[in-house]
Amino acid sequence: MVMSPQNGRQPEMEVLLASTNPHKLQEFREILAPLGVVVVDLASLSQSFDEPVEDASTFAGNARLKALGYAEATGRVCVADDSGLSVDALDGRPGVLSARFAGSSGTRDERDAANNVMLLALMEAVPDEKRTARFECAVCVADPSGTILAESHGTFEGVISREQAGDNGFGYDPLLYLPDVQKTSAQLSSQEKNARSHRGKAVQKIATCFSKM
Ligand code: ITT
């Protein structure tokens, strides 16, 4: 991790986010800023790098291969996230296939929209009490030598609603309903989401890893 002195203030640390998802980038920046960590975007590097093939069967396995792959390729300490939605009535699907549940064609926004339509259709006959689900997030931090510096996992519990609501966030946020606040995840502000999300919890669990580097 690179330390950059800031005019006598606490030095800031830099970590590269091993992700092509701009929504994750925004969330990581907001979650890590209070820890004094600056998140560098892959797109800001002068060179482009091949995306590792995400062929592990678990979130943790995919997070590991993204962090290790990009750390080795870029020579930088990388943090990676593999995440998705696990729906109990669908035996944990879409799980690690969340990003491409309804197929791989189209833009990211088009894939997200198609995924939500498909999920609603599959859940149509599922009664209210069986619509429990959660977002899951595995985070891995690795250095260029191939050493894993930290790993963690977080969950964000809710139920699958019967229609989409909210414009914030991304992916399945408009469908994960949170009974305690009577809102979907997409109706939360980014601060509210980060405070209780799978990603926020996973990062907080390894907060000390960033202060040690
Ligand atoms: P990278 O692999 O480059 O990081 P990706 O979007 O392909 O980007 P994943 O393979 O981890 O990332 O898939 C994550 C998918 O899970 C994402 O596209 C959404 O469909 C869903 N997802 C994960 N976190 C979410 C969140 O906070 N809100 C809504 N949907 C989420």
Side-chain angles (χ1 to χ4, degrees):
M1 193 167 290
V2 179
M3 308 280 280
S4 36
Q6 297 280 309
N7 303 327
R9 282 189 283 140
Q10 265 304 80
E12 288 183 330
M13 292 166 285
E14 279 186 6
V15 64
L16 181 70
L17 180 65
S19 172
T20 59
N21 184 328
H23 304 284
K24 287 186 185 177
L25 177 68
Q26 189 188 335
E27 292 190 6
F28 267 94
R29 285 195 162 142
E30 290 176 8
I31 294 166
L32 283 170
L35 302 177
V37 180
V38 173
V39 180
V40 178
D41 180 10
L42 275 175
S44 73
L45 302 183
S46 52
Q47 210 184 327
S48 61
F49 299 91
D50 290 338
E51 280 187 53
V53 180
E54 292 178 41
D55 55 5
S57 59
T58 60
F59 293 115
N62 281 328
R64 206 173 292 152
L65 67 86
K66 285 188 258 190
L68 289 168
Y70 280 112
E72 189 187 349
T74 62
R76 289 172 175 249
V77 172
C78 286
V79 58
D81 151 325
D82 197 63
S83 49
L85 179 70
S86 298
V87 180
D88 293 326
L90 302 178
D91 297 324
R93 283 190 302 149
V96 292
L97 302 178
S98 291
R100 287 160 277 277
F101 192 31
S104 304
S105 57
T107 63
R108 184 178 294 282
D109 286 348
E110 286 166 350
R111 289 196 297 273
D112 284 354
N115 288 339
N116 284 334
V117 168
M118 181 156 148
L119 180 62
L120 275 176
L122 287 172
M123 294 294 288
E124 199 173 345
V126 178
D128 289 354
E129 67 277 12
K130 294 200 171 148
R131 299 178 73 90
T132 48
R134 66 209 53 76
F135 285 134
E136 296 193 54
C137 177
V139 169
C140 179
V141 184
D143 76 13
S145 74
T147 302
I148 290 176
L149 305 175
E151 289 181 297
S152 64
H153 182 259
T155 58
F156 182 13
E157 299 282 339
V159 296
I160 302 302
S161 58
R162 293 193 178 272
E163 57 186 32
Q164 301 189 47
D167 298 317
N168 302 330
F170 68 104
Y172 301 92
D173 279 327
L175 284 178
L176 192 79
Y177 182 76
L178 312 167
D180 63 322
V181 290
Q182 298 182 27
K183 287 178 182 176
T184 68
S185 179
Q187 292 173 308
L188 300 179
S189 67
S190 61
Q191 293 91 333
E192 288 169 333
K193 179 180 173 187
N194 293 336
R196 62 186 292 170
S197 78
H198 49 318
R199 188 162 294 111
K201 287 177 195 160
V203 172
Q204 293 304 337
K205 281 182 193 170
I206 55 166
T208 53
C209 141
F210 296 103
S211 57
K212 278 189 199 137
M213 282 185 265

